[in-house]
Amino acid sequence: MGETFNVADIFGEDVFNDSAMQERLPKKVYKDLKRTIEEGKELDLATADVIAHEMKEWAIEKGATHYTHWFQPLTGFTAEKHDSFISAPLESGKVLMSFSGKELIKGEPDASSFPSGGLRATFEARGYTAWDCTSPAFVRHDAAGATLCIPTAFCSYGGEALDQKTPLLRSMEAINEQALRLIRLFGNTTSKKVTPSVGIEQEYFLVDAQKFLERKDLIYAGRTLFGAMPPKGQELDDHYFGTIRQRIAGFMKDVNEELWRVGVSSKTQHNEVAPAQHELAPIYAPANVAVDHNHLVMQTLKRVASRHGMKCLLHEKPFAGVNGSGKHNNWSLITDDGKNLLNPGKTPHENNQFLLILACILKAVDEHAALLRESAADPGNDHRLGADEAPPAIISVFLGDQLEDVIEQFIDKGEATHSIERKKLETGVKTIPEFSKDATDRNRTSPFAFTGNKFEFRMAGSRDSVAGANVVLNTIVAEAFAEACEYLEKDRNRDFELVVHELIKKYATKHKEIIFNGNGYDDEWVKKAEEKGLPNIRSMVEAIPALVSEKSIKMFKDFKVFTKVELESRAEIKYENYAKAINIEARTMIDMASKQFIPAVIKYTKTLADTVIAVKAAGADASVQSEALAEVTGYLAEAKKANDALIELTDKASAMGEGKDRAEFYHSQVVPAMEALRAPVDRLEMIVDKEAWPMPSYGDLLFEV
């Protein structure tokens, strides 16, 4: 049995959270910091000095020797530069441990080598990290010892955002301002702040570390670029929510303990649909904190897996033929006094504020569907979206029977007079107690589904930061709120309830086509969506233009979330990242085919040929052996031809200039060539002696963990 502990005793013990600040900071300093966190008031340097000193003392007590500004550049990962607390040596030979308010508030990492999309030249090196005091600092314990991690934003010398956090914080300010404006019109005078609250479900695979190291595709690309399906996959549905294996349970226990210590409220864990696939989900947090926590989750999953002799795969599609991994972003709006603006109440038809907010969200999603789709664009997600394992690439909104009925009443009559009531669940078993069902079912095929008091955006990729998706959600809804407020504020002499009903009907009627409660996997939905005029964006390359459309540029500029040049730089980075990702995959396939598969199969054909000769020499029938030799040789020739074609196309793509054209070439030419190489190699895996095959199979990876 492992060490036991009380979760309540260890939760947040390595976080400089509110209780730690109250305990350590002078009352005035604590109040000033809280005012900065809650109201955005500027923090003076003298106050920051006091906070920095107490934070340093607290961290040193936790064993910390270094601190780092922990930020999220446009690489998709986090970044950090470590500085020790040691100051200049004293005459006695001793050293002082110091940490100033200036060091807390501002850092200066070299910005020249991070992606900037042309915002920065190589020689323009200065960049700044700025403390995000709304996301608590924490001490991380790992092989490097203990490090004080300070969540920060990252911007260039000119103030342009070079990270994921800065625009997220800007979007949170935008929706706070417009949501407060809206609820004030409904008579709310007490709430002072509205915060997007986010819960992020994280899916992942675990494979044996030794087998991982025997596959170049997993090492370089994070996914298997070759691999035939084993006799059993996920067709029995026996892995989903199944009993967790002991090796995996031990891993999950350690993950939870590490996350709880740094304040991540890891709540649920279970086996997912595919073999070797699992999920972890935390409790909700403010959007920027939730994004920080999700990065911690991904890092912790990888670090703990290595300690347990495993590797954690966060790629969206590590294995063909079984479900890939996503990240569900549960989004709602919460006031500082605890009101959830997406809670419809027991009688939604009477809740005008909720219904207007709902109508605004329908409007926002319909008008910016392509942009919302782009926020989930990733090379790995191209393998998932549109398949029967993830939402379709078509954006639609699931409301459920109750809310769809209320919306239809508004469209037909200009008001709603009733809501579908909850019913008792009838199981037919007397010993099971009765309880009320939810007002509506769930729809796992919907990309944007209302699930009781929140919307679940189900399209995000498993390894991606969801900062981008939340930036889009916050901003498009802020825009819809602003337009609604302008409408409601125009004529204060009219009956307010009547004007609200008019607006709900207007938005519901105009944007009803975005509502879809049916099966998103059905081919008929694709045809129907096309008839409705809903965009069906199938790839990352096709999605990127939405980021720099005139509509997007205007909206982001109006709400001070992105400037035009920041958007253009991000589009450039995305094209470049796509091209680089596919180039790595293609060259890995070429390397594996040229140095492993083709030589191994040639060696195997020699064995077959020798067998044919030996059998014939013995005067026996060698037809089976000859047939096998012919089949293997045929697929070998096909693989060699496909490999040569992929080499030629990849070399051509690499010689092209960076940007949209190269990304499109990789998508339209290189990706099909990769598929053409994979097909004969996967077929060969099915007929070549396992002992002759040069690497672990899908069966080895998925079922031997």
Side-chain angles (χ1 to χ4, degrees):
M1 296 292 289
E3 180 188 353
T4 59
F5 54 86
N6 187 322
V7 177
D9 291 339
I10 68 166
F11 189 84
E13 70 176 18
D14 289 334
V15 183
F16 196 65
N17 52 25
D18 191 70
S19 60
M21 290 190 294
Q22 279 198 67
E23 179 184 334
R24 290 179 172 269
L25 298 178
K27 285 185 179 179
K28 183 181 182 306
V29 171
Y30 172 75
K31 286 180 180 178
D32 287 345
L33 178 57
K34 289 294 285 183
R35 206 159 31 241
T36 298
I37 293 170
E38 293 169 3
E39 301 173 26
K41 302 291 184 183
E42 191 170 334
L43 196 68
D44 64 83
L45 195 57
T47 302
D49 277 332
V50 177
I51 297 167
H53 174 77
E54 293 301 329
M55 189 184 290
K56 176 205 69 178
E57 292 297 308
W58 169 84
I60 289 172
E61 289 173 17
K62 300 285 181 184
T65 56
H66 289 70
Y67 70 92
T68 181
H69 277 198
W70 188 68
F71 59 103
Q72 301 162 23
L74 297 175
T75 56
F77 305 99
T78 58
E80 51 196 67
K81 180 187 76 169
H82 295 198
D83 288 290
S84 76
F85 290 118
I86 293 175
S87 63
L90 301 172
E91 289 183 8
S92 63
K94 301 281 187 178
V95 292
L96 285 175
M97 304 289 271
S98 66
F99 182 50
S100 69
K102 183 179 178 182
E103 290 169 320
L104 169 63
I105 291 173
K106 186 187 81 171
E108 294 188 29
D110 188 326
S112 61
S113 296
F114 289 108
S116 71
L119 280 177
R120 305 286 288 158
T122 302
F123 66 86
E124 296 174 313
R126 195 180 295 280
Y128 294 112
T129 49
W131 179 33
D132 172 16
C133 62
T134 62
S135 183
F138 58 93
V139 169
R140 184 184 63 212
H141 298 271
D142 56 21
T147 305
L148 172 63
C149 298
I150 303 159
T152 55
F154 179 46
C155 62
S156 74
Y157 183 73
E160 298 93 351
L162 295 176
D163 67 342
Q164 303 276 16
K165 171 165 284 200
T166 302
L168 178 59
L169 293 172
R170 292 171 182 170
S171 74
M172 292 172 70
E173 289 182 7
I175 198 166
N176 170 54
E177 182 180 342
Q178 300 307 323
L180 281 176
R181 182 181 171 192
L182 185 68
I183 63 177
R184 290 285 184 264
L185 292 170
F186 282 88
N188 182 325
T189 59
T190 55
S191 299
K192 296 178 182 177
K193 189 175 184 180
V194 177
T195 303
S197 178
V198 174
I200 306 167
E201 303 168 37
Q202 177 70 55
E203 295 175 343
Y204 61 94
F205 279 82
L206 290 172
V207 298
D208 182 80
Q210 186 56 48
K211 294 183 176 69
F212 172 94
L213 293 172
E214 293 175 38
R215 299 233 13 164
K216 290 183 180 180
D217 47 5
L218 287 179
I219 292 170
Y220 296 137
R223 75 179 181 101
T224 54
L225 301 169
F226 299 97
M229 277 297 294
K232 179 187 175 184
Q234 63 187 51
E235 61 272 20
L236 293 179
D237 299 322
D238 55 339
H239 190 258
Y240 191 51
F241 277 39
T243 302
I244 298 170
R245 299 177 197 171
Q246 289 299 292
R247 185 181 184 187
I248 306 302
F251 157 83
M252 288 180 171
K253 175 183 177 293
D254 286 354
V255 166
N256 285 333
E257 184 175 349
E258 287 207 13
L259 291 176
W260 289 335
R261 290 185 190 280
V262 291
V264 179
S265 53
S266 175
K267 174 73 171 172
T268 63
Q269 59 192 32
H270 60 84
N271 291 346
E272 254 298 334
V273 173
Q277 187 184 32
H278 312 278
E279 181 179 298
L280 178 153
I283 297 172
Y284 295 80
N288 62 315
V289 177
V291 170
D292 286 353
H293 282 181
N294 185 246
H295 278 290
L296 278 172
V297 165
M298 291 189 286
Q299 292 168 359
T300 303
L301 289 172
K302 284 182 168 291
R303 187 170 63 250
V304 175
S306 293
R307 291 208 308 261
H308 283 256
M310 296 182 287
K311 288 291 183 180
C312 174
L313 306 181
L314 292 175
H315 195 283
E316 289 76 21
K317 193 70 174 178
F319 303 98
V322 298
N323 279 15
S325 296
K327 188 175 290 182
H328 300 165
N329 188 88
N330 295 278
W331 179 90
S332 57
L333 294 172
I334 310 295
T335 66
D336 59 315
D337 46 358
K339 298 181 179 72
N340 184 344
L341 300 185
L342 294 187
N343 185 355
K346 293 182 179 179
T347 53
H349 67 282
E350 297 175 341
N351 191 340
N352 285 335
Q353 178 179 288
F354 166 77
L355 291 173
L356 180 57
I357 288 172
L358 178 65
C360 285
I361 292 172
L362 292 176
K363 176 181 185 293
V365 173
D366 190 23
E367 291 182 346
H368 295 283
L371 182 63
L372 191 56
R373 164 66 180 91
E374 192 283 327
S375 74
D378 175 271
N381 242 0
D382 285 359
H383 300 285
R384 292 178 61 245
L385 301 180
D388 291 352
E389 61 174 80
I394 304 161
I395 295 286
S396 63
V397 178
F398 169 81
L399 292 183
D401 297 335
Q402 185 186 61
L403 291 183
E404 185 177 29
D405 177 65
V406 171
I407 290 294
E408 285 175 354
Q409 290 179 57
F410 266 97
I411 293 171
D412 293 340
K413 300 182 295 185
E415 64 175 345
T417 57
H418 64 275
S419 300
I420 296 173
E421 293 184 5
R422 297 184 178 193
K423 296 180 180 178
K424 296 289 184 183
L425 181 70
E426 296 180 5
T427 64
V429 180
K430 292 180 180 178
T431 54
I432 294 178
E434 283 190 350
F435 57 87
S436 295
K437 297 192 290 184
D438 289 303
T440 187
D441 203 347
R442 286 188 175 181
N443 188 332
R444 68 182 300 273
T445 72
S446 174
F448 196 66
F450 187 76
T451 54
N453 60 3
K454 57 186 170 58
F455 276 97
E456 183 179 19
F457 182 55
R458 299 174 57 88
M459 297 182 85
S462 51
R463 62 183 164 170
D464 288 342
S465 167
V466 290
N470 285 292
V471 167
V472 171
L473 280 172
N474 295 342
T475 312
I476 65 176
V477 174
E479 180 189 56
F481 284 175
E483 292 179 15
C485 289
E486 287 169 14
Y487 185 92
L488 295 172
E489 291 165 352
K490 270 193 302 188
D491 188 353
R492 296 295 185 96
N493 295 321
R494 292 186 63 194
D495 181 277
F496 181 73
E497 186 173 331
L498 183 63
V499 178
V500 169
H501 281 200
E502 283 178 2
L503 195 54
I504 295 170
K505 180 177 180 178
K506 177 184 174 183
Y507 287 172
T509 303
K510 186 174 181 181
H511 302 288
K512 64 181 179 180
E513 300 298 346
I514 199 72
I515 302 171
F516 178 62
N517 284 354
N519 180 8
Y521 295 164
D522 194 331
D523 290 339
E524 285 300 311
W525 167 233
V526 178
K527 297 175 187 174
K528 189 175 180 181
E530 188 176 357
E531 292 169 5
K532 287 169 173 272
L534 302 181
N536 185 4
I537 303 170
R538 299 177 182 275
S539 75
M540 178 179 178
V541 173
E542 296 169 272
I544 295 170
L547 195 62
V548 286
S549 68
E550 288 185 17
K551 181 167 60 174
S552 296
I553 290 171
K554 183 180 184 307
M555 176 190 67
F556 282 126
K557 182 182 176 183
D558 287 348
F559 290 91
K560 300 178 181 177
V561 175
F562 284 119
T563 63
K564 182 181 179 183
V565 292
E566 286 175 331
L567 287 171
E568 289 171 343
S569 72
R570 276 164 163 72
E572 191 67 28
I573 290 167
K574 286 172 183 277
Y575 283 126
E576 189 178 329
N577 286 347
Y578 181 86
K580 286 178 177 178
I582 303 303
N583 182 62
I584 290 168
E585 290 188 352
R587 293 198 177 281
T588 301
M589 290 187 81
I590 291 165
D591 187 81
M592 294 172 74
S594 301
K595 298 177 182 177
Q596 293 180 288
F597 294 126
I598 291 174
V601 176
I602 288 173
K603 187 176 180 181
Y604 182 64
T605 57
K606 184 179 184 305
T607 302
L608 279 177
D610 290 345
T611 303
V612 171
I613 293 169
V615 171
K616 284 182 176 179
D621 180 9
S623 60
V624 172
Q625 292 86 343
S626 298
E627 197 175 303
L629 177 60
E631 185 179 17
V632 171
T633 303
Y635 284 122
L636 177 61
E638 187 181 337
K640 178 66 170 66
K641 182 180 178 182
N643 193 46
D644 290 343
L646 182 58
I647 291 171
E648 183 180 345
L649 285 168
T650 304
D651 287 344
K652 184 177 179 180
S654 298
M656 296 174 69
E658 294 180 354
K660 183 178 180 181
D661 290 345
R662 184 166 75 152
E664 288 178 341
F665 186 86
Y666 272 105
H667 175 61
S668 63
Q669 301 295 318
V670 177
V671 168
M674 291 165 61
E675 293 168 355
L677 174 57
R678 177 171 187 157
V681 173
D682 285 0
R683 185 60 193 157
L684 283 166
E685 185 180 354
M686 298 294 290
I687 56 179
V688 170
D689 186 344
K690 181 173 174 57
E691 295 301 315
W693 201 248
M695 62 192 61
S697 67
Y698 269 24
D700 299 329
L701 290 163
L702 289 169
F703 291 97
E704 296 181 18
V705 183

